[in-house]
Amino acid sequence: MDTAQLADFLRVRREALDPRDVGLPGTARRRTPGLRREEVARLADISTDYYTRLEQDRAPQPSPGVLRAITRALRLTLDERDHLFRLAGHPPPDRNRSDEHVAPSLLGVLDRLSDVPAQVMTDLGATLVQNDLARAVFGDLTRLRGAAGTVVYRWFTDPRARAGYPVQDHATESRALVADLRAAAVRRDDAQAKDLVRELRRASPEFEALWRLHSVRVMRSRRKRIQHPEVGLLELDCQVLVDEDRRQILALFSPAAGTSTAERLALLGSLGPLAAHRSSR
């Protein structure tokens, strides 16, 4: 661990970020350039004291999880992330196996979205980053790991995943998830996708039956209906943006025209963190 270079690298990258780059309001009153240390710590979900000690060359070695969080908070590129890991004394994540680095371009769009739910997901359905409104609608899905971190695995193995969807929509949702996974699994052709499919075929007879149909359809846009416990039925039009290698998507959930969803989302946003629906969907 090169603590001196690590401290300097973190400081320089923090000072290079404009608050508006990470979705924070700009202000002319800042005495120093860039983000404040407490803002980086909040974005990374770590303590301000620990982040400050990292920048002051007096902190213990950060874990890979902390480094991943700092990577997103500072909007680092893949090369910058690898450099950060090496300075901290860890081998960089394998680029061919890890989906956890979120493209700064997708984060930049996400930072500017506050009035609609939005989240960055892998093409296998694992949620990497959510804005506040997405957490309020879907719950915090970013802490889930392994197969359970994917929406398709939860849908077919955990009854709670379907609880917020109208029963008449279940069959359509099942078919859409399987068809999208079929496309992603063949496109990726890697161990992670194969393992997910194998676990689902073993765990869910419903999934196995749908998988045998060989339906293929990449989800680009569709309507979702969510029965939210605080504000009632949400009718959302889902649109996706993809990164350059199609491993990640930015999913946007806009209120459907002609419904009261916009007003209900505004109410949900005003309720704050207490409104977060904790069931995993």
Side-chain angles (χ1 to χ4, degrees), residues 24-81:
L24 297 175
T27 174
R29 297 181 179 180
R30 293 177 181 250
R31 297 179 180 177
T32 57
L35 299 182
R36 300 184 179 99
R37 287 169 177 162
E38 60 267 25
E39 291 171 335
V40 175
R42 185 168 64 252
L43 289 169
D45 196 22
I46 60 178
S47 75
T48 300
D49 177 67
Y50 181 68
Y51 181 78
T52 299
R53 285 187 286 133
L54 280 173
E55 278 202 12
Q56 294 177 343
D57 190 9
R58 56 187 184 90
Q61 183 183 38
S63 69
V66 167
L67 295 176
R68 286 192 295 269
I70 291 175
T71 293
R72 292 177 188 168
L74 294 178
R75 305 307 190 251
L76 301 184
T77 65
L78 272 172
D79 289 339
E80 290 168 337
R81 179 205 66 179

Side-chain angles (χ1 to χ4, degrees), residues 43-274:
L43 289 169
D45 196 22
I46 60 178
S47 75
T48 300
D49 177 67
Y50 181 68
Y51 181 78
T52 299
R53 285 187 286 133
L54 280 173
E55 278 202 12
Q56 294 177 343
D57 190 9
R58 56 187 184 90
Q61 183 183 38
S63 69
V66 167
L67 295 176
R68 286 192 295 269
I70 291 175
T71 293
R72 292 177 188 168
L74 294 178
R75 305 307 190 251
L76 301 184
T77 65
L78 272 172
D79 289 339
E80 290 168 337
R81 179 205 66 179
D82 291 352
H83 182 65
L84 174 67
F85 269 73
R86 292 187 180 101
L87 290 179
H90 292 287
D94 186 337
R95 295 193 184 194
N96 294 322
R97 298 182 61 185
S98 174
D99 292 323
E100 294 184 341
H101 178 266
V102 181
S105 58
L106 294 184
L107 283 174
V109 177
L110 183 68
D111 289 332
R112 288 162 174 77
L113 297 171
S114 59
D115 57 346
V116 298
Q119 53 195 26
V120 178
M121 307 170 69
T122 72
D123 59 349
L124 293 180
T127 303
L128 302 175
V129 188
Q130 298 172 284
N131 66 7
D132 290 340
L133 204 48
R135 282 192 293 272
V137 172
F138 301 107
D140 187 351
L141 306 178
T142 62
R143 301 182 186 277
L144 303 173
R145 294 291 180 266
T150 67
V151 62
V152 61
Y153 187 84
R154 294 192 302 274
W155 180 263
F156 286 100
T157 63
D158 187 347
R160 294 173 300 175
R162 304 188 183 201
Y165 289 75
V167 174
Q168 59 267 37
D169 294 353
H170 287 188
T172 300
E173 187 74 9
S174 294
R175 290 193 297 269
L177 289 172
V178 174
D180 185 71
L181 178 59
R182 169 76 72 175
V186 173
R187 183 173 63 245
R188 293 170 64 117
D189 191 28
D190 62 7
Q192 187 176 8
K194 292 175 182 177
D195 288 346
L196 176 59
V197 171
R198 186 181 305 112
E199 290 189 43
L200 277 164
R201 297 184 74 174
R202 182 173 61 246
S204 169
E206 180 190 4
F207 177 87
E208 170 67 13
L210 290 172
W211 188 255
R212 288 180 177 274
L213 297 178
H214 279 267
S215 298
V216 180
R217 184 181 180 185
V218 177
M219 281 193 283
R220 297 182 177 90
S221 64
R222 63 188 180 122
R223 177 71 57 88
K224 288 176 73 75
R225 299 197 304 163
I226 305 293
Q227 189 66 44
H228 195 278
E230 273 80 26
V231 298
L233 184 66
L234 300 173
E235 297 185 67
L236 303 163
D237 287 326
C238 178
Q239 301 285 334
V240 300
L241 304 175
V242 298
D243 71 344
E244 59 186 13
D245 66 0
R246 299 191 60 84
R247 287 293 188 101
Q248 294 177 1
I249 65 170
L250 174 60
L252 313 175
F253 302 90
S254 302
T259 72
S260 59
T261 297
E263 292 81 3
R264 294 181 180 187
L265 285 177
L267 174 59
L268 193 57
S270 70
L271 295 176
L274 292 178

